[in-house]
Amino acid sequence: MSDIERRTKTVELPPTITVRELANSIHSSPIEVIKNLMSNGVMANINQQIDFDTAAIIAAEMGYEATLETQENEEEEQGENPLWRQMIAGEDQVDLVSRPPVVTILGHVDHGKTTLLDAIRHTDVASGEVGGITQHIGAYQVELKGKTITFLDTPGHAAFTAMRARGAQGADIVILVVAADDGVMPQTREAIAHAKAARVPIIVALNKIDRSNADPERVKQQLAENGLVPDEWDGDTIVVPISAKKQEGIEDLLEAILLVAENIDIRANPKGKVIGTVIEAELDKSKGVLATLLVQNGSLKVGDEVVAGVAFGRLRAMFDHYGRKISKAGPSTPVSVMGLSEVPPAGELFYVVNSEREAREMVNERQQERGKTSAAAKSVVTLEQLFDRFQAGEVRELRLIIKADVQGSLEPIVSTLDEFSSGDININVLHAETGNITESDVMLAAASKAVVIGFNVSADSAARRLAEAEGVSIRLYDIIYRLTEDVEKALKGMLPPEEKENVIGHAEVRAIFRISKIGNIAGCKVTDGEIRRNCRIRVLRRDKIVHEGPISSLKHLQEDVREVRAGFECGIGVKNFDEIEVGDRLECYFIEKVAVEEPVF
Ligand code: GDP
C-alpha cells in the first residue's frame, strides 16, 4: 500500500458514537481508543458516547479520515426510533403547512437566560387575557405580528443534549445569550458546539448592553473567532443587542427569529401521524403523571393513546401554557397532559398509537431492548471538554472512579472530595455512578491510572480479576468519613516532599590562604555546632548572604576531615567562591526532604 493510500482510509461516522462502536469502525480495540482519548484529555468508558468531532480527531490519530454520515443514513439506522423529520418526509407533501419555530435559549451561566425568558414572556400580549400569568410547563408560546414562536422554557445544555441523544432535535433555532460585559465563556463555546452538531441555526442575543462595562465589539470579535461571524461583518450570524433586564431589544430578537424561521423549512402536517417530544414530566400526588409534550407533527387530542419511552396511556386531559383546558393541539404546540402510566424522561419521543394493545406491545419491545443497553451510553463527551482539557495542560491529580449504592450517598461523597482539591493537587472524579464495580470501571481506571472507590458496593469477580491483572487499586468502604479520610491522606502522599533546612553549625573566617590551583581557603574557627564536609555553606557578610554552595574542601591540621566541631580551627574551601574575606561568617546546613504523608493508595 502506498503512503497516499494509507493516509486516505476513510470512515463514515454518525453524529454520536460509543467508544466500542468507534473502535469497531476503525478496526481498533476499545482500549486503544480509550487510551487515545485519554492522551487527548478525555476520560471515557467503553459504552460512553462521544461526539463526531471528538471521534474524528481520534480516528485521524489512528490513520482514518472521518466524514459525518449523511442524514439519510442516520435516519435509516435509527429506524426503531425515527426522528420527527423522517416522519414528515413520509407525509404527503401537499398537506405540509408551516408551523411555529421552536426556540431554545442556551448560554453561559449568569449571562441572562432566565431573565430573557421572563422578558419574552412579558411581551406576550395574549397573556393579558388570563391575567398575564403563564403556567410553568417547560415551554410557552408568544405571538408577534400574527405569527407564533414556541420557546422551550428550560434553559441549559442538559435538556438540549438529552433531546439530541434521543434523536429528538426539539429546537429549530438556538438563541445564544452572551453577556456583553463578560463575553464568550466555556459554556458559550459548549452551546455553539451543541447547536452546530445538531445543525440548528444560532441567533446571538448580546445581553446586558445596559451595563457600563459592556463591550459589544469585543464580544463580536470573540464570536467570529468561534465561527459565528456577525451579519454586520458580512457573516451569517444575526447578533441582536438586548437588555433582558430592561426589556430592550426583545422585539428585535423576536423579529430575527421569524426571519431565520422563514429561511428554514419549518413545516409539519397537522393531519398527519402524531409525534413529538417530552419536554418535562413529574408525578403529581393528586393528578398523577403530568407531562409537558411538544407536538411536532399531527394534532394531539384528548383521548389519544400515547407511548413515550416505556410510559403509555390514554390522555385524560390536556392544557395549554396558560393552564386552559384544550382538546386538540397542532404542530409546535406545547401542552401539559394527564394520563400517562409513568414519568417519561425529558427528551423522549412520544407517538400516538391506535390502541392500548399496540401501546403495550411497543412498550414491551422497548423494555427488552433497553435491558441490553447500559445507562452509561447516555452521557456524551463533547469536543468542548476536549479543548478545555488541552488548554488546562497537565495537572497533578488524583483520579477516581466512584461507585456507590445509591445516588443519595454518591452526591455527598463527590462534593466532599471536590473540596479537597487545592491549587497543587486536584481530585478528578472521572466517573461517579451507582451500582457495583464492574469490568468497565476497572478498564477505565487502568487506562486513566485511576483508583476505583466503592461505597456500600462490591466488585464482581471479573472486575477483581481485571484489577489484579492491570494493577488497579479497588478500595471498598462502608463509612463515608473513612473513605474521605483515606482520600485526603492519599492526596497528601502525592504532595511533593517538603524541603526542610537544618543549620548544624557556624564558623568565623580569621585568615585567608591563597593556594595555587585550588584557590582561596578560609582559615576558620568553628564557633558553634559543627562543619561537615558533605554539607552546604552560606557565606554571611555583615548579616547579608553573599554566597551559598557546597564545600569543596575541609581540613583540620592539614588533613582532610569529614567534620570539625565547635572550638576547633579548620580550613574551608567553598566551591566556586573565591571572594571570601576575613570577618565573614560561615553557616553550615543541609536540606532534608520530608514526605508530607505516606501515600495510601
Ligand atoms: P442565567 O444563569 O443565564 O439564567 O442568568 P440570569 O437570567 O439568572 O441572570 C443573571 C444575572 O444577570 C441576574 O442578576 C440578572 O438580573 C442579571 N441580568 C440579566 N440580564 C441582564 C441585563 O440585560 N442587564 C443587566 N444589567 N443585568 C442582567
Side-chain angles (χ1 to χ4, degrees), residues 108-115 207-208 210-211 243-245:
H108 195 72
V109 63
D110 275 350
H111 279 198
K113 298 179 289 294
T114 316
T115 314
N207 193 28
K208 306 198 187 184
D210 57 294
R211 287 242 166 119
S243 167
K245 196 171 172 181

Side-chain angles (χ1 to χ4, degrees), residues 147-285:
K147 294 198 169 146
T148 307
I149 305 171
T150 304
F151 282 90
L152 298 181
D153 202 0
T154 30
H157 309 168
F160 186 71
T161 315
M163 289 193 193
R164 262 187 71 206
R166 294 179 175 86
Q169 200 145 348
D172 304 303
I173 294 170
V174 161
I175 300 291
L176 180 66
V177 179
V178 187
D181 59 346
D182 201 25
V184 169
M185 299 302 281
Q187 284 168 292
T188 320
R189 283 194 288 269
E190 199 177 298
I192 296 172
H194 281 316
K196 285 201 167 157
R199 299 196 203 93
V200 175
I202 299 173
I203 296 172
V204 174
L206 192 51
N207 193 28
K208 306 198 187 184
I209 46 151
D210 57 294
R211 287 242 166 119
S212 58
N213 56 345
D215 190 350
E217 292 312 305
R218 179 177 148 255
V219 182
K220 283 176 202 163
Q221 184 63 44
Q222 293 174 330
L223 288 167
E225 283 160 13
N226 283 279
L228 299 180
V229 182
D231 51 352
E232 63 181 282
W233 296 359
D234 287 336
D236 295 330
T237 307
I238 301 183
V239 178
V240 186
I242 63 161
S243 167
K245 196 171 172 181
K246 301 202 160 171
Q247 305 198 14
E248 284 166 12
I250 308 299
E251 206 164 304
D252 296 341
L253 184 65
L254 297 181
E255 274 176 13
I257 293 170
L258 292 177
L259 190 73
V260 170
E262 267 171 31
N263 288 325
I264 46 179
D265 191 25
I266 306 182
R267 292 189 299 163
N269 178 5
K271 293 184 252 166
K273 225 168 155 40
V274 186
I275 180 172
T277 303
V278 177
I279 302 297
E280 61 179 41
E282 59 173 13
L283 188 61
D284 183 287
K285 277 199 190 104

Side-chain angles (χ1 to χ4, degrees), residues 318-472:
M318 192 152 80
F319 307 88
D320 69 6
H321 67 283
Y322 299 120
R324 294 181 299 210
K325 241 182 163 155
I326 52 172
S327 56
K328 191 172 165 185
S332 294
T333 313
V335 287
S336 170
V337 301
M338 280 158 54
L340 287 179
S341 58
E342 56 185 282
V343 178
E348 191 66 80
L349 290 171
F350 75 85
Y351 307 82
V352 168
V353 295
N354 293 324
S355 64
E356 193 187 325
R357 217 182 100 220
E358 197 183 322
R360 280 186 193 280
E361 274 169 14
M362 206 162 159
V363 167
N364 278 345
E365 249 172 55
R366 283 180 176 185
Q367 266 161 341
Q368 280 165 11
E369 192 54 39
R370 279 186 192 186
K372 292 181 204 156
T373 50
S374 115
K378 301 241 157 67
S379 54
V380 176
V381 172
T382 68
L383 183 67
E384 278 312 291
Q385 288 171 329
L386 186 96
F387 282 150
D388 282 350
R389 286 178 183 156
F390 262 142
Q391 281 167 359
E394 270 296 304
V395 281
R396 290 170 65 93
E397 60 183 16
L398 176 59
R399 295 169 178 170
L400 302 175
I401 289 163
I402 300 176
K403 299 297 288 272
D405 52 346
V406 289
Q407 197 68 24
S409 43
L410 199 57
E411 276 158 15
I413 291 172
V414 173
S415 63
T416 311
L417 295 183
D418 275 347
E419 283 168 17
F420 289 157
S421 289
S422 64
D424 293 335
I425 301 246
N426 274 319
I427 296 251
N428 186 349
V429 178
L430 302 180
H431 185 58
E433 209 182 27
T434 54
N436 279 340
I437 295 165
T438 63
E439 224 176 344
S440 121
D441 297 321
V442 177
M443 214 185 287
L444 176 60
S448 50
K449 298 193 172 56
V451 175
V452 184
I453 291 187
F455 181 74
N456 279 342
V457 295
S458 58
D460 63 30
S461 58
R464 281 178 193 279
R465 265 201 305 276
L466 185 65
E468 201 155 300
E470 296 281 338
V472 169

